[in-house]
Amino acid sequence: MSQKKLWMLAAIRPLVLTIVFCGATVGLTACDKANAQNDNPASAVKSEELIRTSQSWDGVERPDYLQGRPELVAVKYEFPAGQKLGWHHHPVMNYGILVQGELTIIGQDGRENTVHEGEVVVEMVNTIHHGENRGTKPVILYMFYLSQEGLPLAVQHPEIPLE
């Protein structure tokens, strides 16, 4: 090979390596982008039905829906450890999910239901009860009410003493 051809190959070699390297990098980047679309969180959405019921936790059938326009209410509750809620009842249907701690619900008849982290609770309607955080950490509870404008979510019964 002539000196001139060797010089040209020596000059071109870094350019060829750069093109090959960049081409591979572009190809890998394109592959990464394609894989990123496969890793799209929307395509990884999972669904798990937590509960489907027509009864509250004590086995009582849910009442019929109210007549008129519904009002949906979501409430986040936080109960410190050792906290007791007063006796109350709910005039509207509600359910929720406990995201932290343990909450014990006590019916006026003495029946109890302890709800743990990650569990769903379907509350009683028009039945007097109260709740207690008997655990060591705060309870965080998200409740969802199927109500109507002007209706209370709970009616307190201060005339009934807590034990």
Side-chain angles (χ1 to χ4, degrees), residues 80-94:
Q83 178 73 43
K84 288 185 178 183
L85 303 174
W87 292 98
H88 62 279
H89 77 271
H90 302 283
V92 297
M93 287 186 274
N94 63 90

Side-chain angles (χ1 to χ4, degrees), residues 52-112:
R52 182 183 296 248
T53 185
S54 59
Q55 299 177 341
S56 57
W57 67 263
D58 62 344
V60 175
E61 289 292 320
R62 309 280 42 195
D64 290 337
Y65 277 118
L66 301 170
Q67 296 295 314
R69 184 175 308 275
E71 180 177 66
L72 307 177
V73 183
V75 179
K76 177 184 177 184
Y77 293 100
E78 296 183 34
F79 304 107
Q83 178 73 43
K84 288 185 178 183
L85 303 174
W87 292 98
H88 62 279
H89 77 271
H90 302 283
V92 297
M93 287 186 274
N94 63 90
Y95 65 99
I97 186 162
L98 192 93
V99 297
Q100 179 181 292
E102 291 184 357
L103 179 65
T104 301
I105 304 164
I106 302 102
Q108 207 171 14
D109 62 1
R111 289 178 55 188
E112 294 187 5

Side-chain angles (χ1 to χ4, degrees), residues 26-161:
V26 168
L28 288 174
T29 302
C31 288
D32 286 347
K33 286 182 182 177
N35 286 336
Q37 289 175 351
N38 291 337
D39 294 338
N40 182 343
S43 66
V45 170
K46 294 180 181 178
S47 172
E48 178 184 354
E49 187 171 288
L50 299 177
I51 193 167
R52 182 183 296 248
T53 185
S54 59
Q55 299 177 341
S56 57
W57 67 263
D58 62 344
V60 175
E61 289 292 320
R62 309 280 42 195
D64 290 337
Y65 277 118
L66 301 170
Q67 296 295 314
R69 184 175 308 275
E71 180 177 66
L72 307 177
V73 183
V75 179
K76 177 184 177 184
Y77 293 100
E78 296 183 34
F79 304 107
Q83 178 73 43
K84 288 185 178 183
L85 303 174
W87 292 98
H88 62 279
H89 77 271
H90 302 283
V92 297
M93 287 186 274
N94 63 90
Y95 65 99
I97 186 162
L98 192 93
V99 297
Q100 179 181 292
E102 291 184 357
L103 179 65
T104 301
I105 304 164
I106 302 102
Q108 207 171 14
D109 62 1
R111 289 178 55 188
E112 294 187 5
N113 179 37
T114 300
V115 185
H116 305 90
E117 285 184 17
E119 292 182 346
V120 174
V121 60
V122 179
E123 274 276 39
M124 305 162 142
V125 177
N126 294 321
T127 300
I128 297 173
H129 61 282
H130 80 278
E132 298 179 3
N133 180 351
R134 297 175 179 168
T136 58
K137 61 183 175 179
V139 161
I140 298 177
L141 174 67
Y142 290 97
M143 292 298 294
F144 306 94
Y145 297 86
L146 308 163
S147 187
Q148 283 184 318
E149 187 175 334
L151 285 179
L153 302 179
V155 175
Q156 301 299 318
H157 293 278
E159 72 279 6
I160 306 171

